[in-house]
């Protein structure tokens, strides 16, 4: 008798009246909101403006969903295009099936479009959003729990996941690989945040660290999974993908640190323009004040000069008065003699 295990939900859908609320979709949406929220805080701390992350996410998220679904459908095409399967199911994204590799690749294309429209360097945006993406993955993995999918090998550990029987799965206790990967992604997010603060990562290196750390964990969680997958040289396709992407991320970290050390001083031209405009306004006000002060000083100096000139004018007046008095006296004397 098993005394401890993680139960699976009896259903992955909760109906709010006529509206179905699917656990998988809810986890994806919640993850996106968390990623945008954290990315916005980090972007503002880097000198960007509020709302920029959300504006670019409008491009990145749809591209990411399409890319994630395409990767899943292409790598697991037998689930949709083999005999007896309905190809229409390939569009039922709410039933699960998003490949993180395709989501990141296509999401980067969407982010690039959004960044280009705003004149923002994509590496700086990627650095700001990297921990948020890791947390979004951590939340999104719980969608697999709702759908009872992507679990690992059978186990009798106290934290084993109980899977119920259905047409595509056998009842039993299995490794909760969704939980392993979720916890790993939380650790990756904390690692990137710490490293970014400690080493001032820039030019896409925080994002590269996230990619490398995630891939390292994906290798061992992928090894535990028992769902159907393509194999190359005895290893699952996703294991090979994780290894290749891990090596590329490490190479980028090393080369980028040598070629472009440090961190971007300006991440968003618009925010810099606002600062410059404010500075120009202050300079104009200061210049105007200085000019007014100069005019006032000149007026005061002119007034002082005028006051200094008054004594001379007074002396001239006195001299004129004396001359007039002298003239009058001479006239009176002449009249007396005549």
């Amino acid at each position: 008798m098993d005394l401890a295990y993680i139960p699976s939900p009896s259903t992955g859908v909760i109906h709010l009246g006529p509206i179905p609320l699917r656990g998988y979709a809810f986890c994806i949406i919640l993850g996106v909101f968390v990623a945008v929220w954290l990315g916005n805080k980090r972007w503002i701390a880097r000198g960007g403006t509020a709302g920029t992350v959300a504006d670019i996410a409008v491009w990145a998220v749809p591209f990411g969903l399409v890319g994630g679904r395409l990767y899943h459908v292409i790598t697991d095409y037998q689930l949709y295009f083999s005999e007896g399967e309905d190809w229409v199911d390939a569009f039922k994204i709410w039933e699960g099936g998003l490949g993180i590799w395709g989501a990141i690749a296509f999401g980067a294309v969407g982010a690039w479009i959004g960044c280009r429209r705003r004149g923002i360097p994509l590496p700086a945006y990627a650095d700001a959003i990297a921990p948020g993406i890791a947390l979004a993955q951590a939340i999104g993995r719980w969608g697999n729990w709702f759908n009872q999918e992507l679990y690992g090998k059978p186990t009798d550990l106290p934290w084993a996941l109980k899977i119920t029987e259905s047409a595509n799965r056998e009842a039993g206790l299995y490794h909760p690989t969704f939980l392993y990967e979720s916890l790993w992604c939380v650790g990756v997010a904390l690692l990137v945040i710490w490293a970014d603060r400690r080493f001032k990562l820039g030019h896409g290196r925080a994002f590269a660290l996230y990619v490398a750390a995630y891939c390292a964990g994906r290798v061992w969680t992928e090894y535990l999974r028992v769902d159907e997958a393509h194999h190359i040289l005895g290893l699952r396709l996703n294991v090979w993908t994780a290894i290749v992407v891990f090596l590329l991320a490490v190479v980028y970290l090393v080369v980028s640190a040598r070629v472009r050390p440090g961190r971007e001083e300006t991440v968003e031209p618009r925010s810099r323009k606002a600062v410059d405009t404010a500075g120009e306004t202050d300079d104009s006000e200061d210049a105007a004040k200085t000019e007014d002060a100069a005019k006032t000083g000149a007026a005061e100096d002119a007034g002082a000069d005028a006051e200094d000139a008054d004594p001379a004018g007074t002396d001239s007046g006195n001299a004129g008065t004396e001359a007039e008095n002298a003239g009058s006296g001479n006239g009176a004397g002449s009249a007396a003699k005549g």
Side-chain angles (χ1 to χ4, degrees):
M1 179 179 180
D2 299 303
L3 299 178
Y5 57 84
I6 300 174
S8 292
S10 57
T11 179
V13 184
I14 299 176
H15 290 275
L16 300 178
I19 302 175
L21 179 61
R22 301 183 182 277
Y24 187 89
F26 175 77
C27 291
I28 297 298
I29 294 172
L30 180 59
V32 170
F33 274 103
V34 170
V36 172
W37 169 78
L38 181 57
N40 183 65
K41 291 177 64 68
R42 287 172 54 80
W43 185 253
I44 294 174
R46 287 286 303 274
T49 57
T52 296
V53 170
D55 291 342
I56 297 176
V58 171
W59 289 90
V61 172
F63 272 75
L65 291 175
V66 172
R69 189 59 175 178
L70 280 176
Y71 181 89
H72 167 72
V73 172
I74 292 173
T75 56
D76 293 305
Y77 61 88
Q78 71 282 356
L79 300 177
Y80 308 100
F81 302 104
S82 59
E83 185 177 356
E85 302 294 342
D86 188 358
W87 63 271
V88 176
D89 293 340
F91 297 96
K92 297 179 180 179
I93 191 173
W94 57 85
E95 293 183 355
L98 286 176
I100 186 61
W101 316 112
I104 294 297
F106 274 62
V109 174
W112 176 78
I113 295 174
C115 287
R116 185 176 178 83
R117 289 168 61 89
R118 299 181 69 103
I120 293 173
L122 177 61
Y125 179 82
D127 285 342
I129 203 70
I133 295 177
L135 290 180
Q137 289 179 251
I139 297 172
R141 274 304 177 196
W142 285 85
N144 301 136
W145 177 63
F146 279 100
N147 287 353
Q148 297 193 47
E149 60 184 359
L150 305 185
Y151 45 85
K153 300 176 181 179
T155 182
D156 56 358
L157 292 171
W159 56 83
L161 175 66
K162 184 176 183 180
I163 297 297
T164 59
E165 186 175 2
S166 73
N168 299 320
R169 60 177 182 259
E170 182 179 349
L173 298 177
Y174 301 89
H175 277 285
T177 51
F178 84 90
L179 179 60
Y180 297 160
E181 187 167 334
S182 179
L183 295 176
W184 183 267
C185 288
V186 172
V188 169
L190 296 177
L191 171 65
V192 173
I193 292 174
W194 170 82
D196 193 28
R197 291 178 178 176
R198 175 67 177 80
F199 303 105
K200 302 298 181 183
L201 301 176
H203 302 287
R205 289 189 287 276
F207 184 82
L209 176 60
Y210 144 72
V211 172
Y214 170 74
C215 290
R218 181 61 183 266
V219 169
W220 70 270
T221 56
E222 191 73 23
Y223 174 76
L224 290 174
R225 283 167 52 172
V226 295
D227 54 296
E228 185 177 357
H230 298 286
H231 288 73
I232 301 176
L233 298 178
L235 293 179
R236 294 167 64 96
L237 175 61
N238 283 334
V239 173
W240 283 110
T241 304
I243 293 174
V244 172
V245 175
F246 171 82
L247 293 176
L248 292 175
V250 171
V251 170
Y252 181 88
L253 275 170
V254 175
V255 174
S256 176
R258 293 182 178 179
V259 176
R260 307 187 69 183
R263 173 187 281 182
E264 300 93 338
E265 294 183 0
T266 302
V267 297
E268 187 169 2
R270 180 172 297 181
S271 61
R272 172 61 62 185
K273 181 178 180 181
V275 173
D276 293 341
T277 302
E280 292 174 359
T281 302
D282 294 339
D283 292 342
S284 300
E285 292 178 355
D286 292 340
K289 291 180 180 178
T290 302
E291 184 177 354
D292 292 341
K295 291 180 179 178
T296 302
E300 292 176 353
D301 292 340
D305 293 340
E307 291 177 358
D308 293 339
D310 287 344
T314 303
D315 293 340
S316 299
N318 292 336
T321 303
E322 291 175 356
E324 290 176 357
N325 291 336
S328 300
N330 293 334
S334 299
K337 288 180 180 178

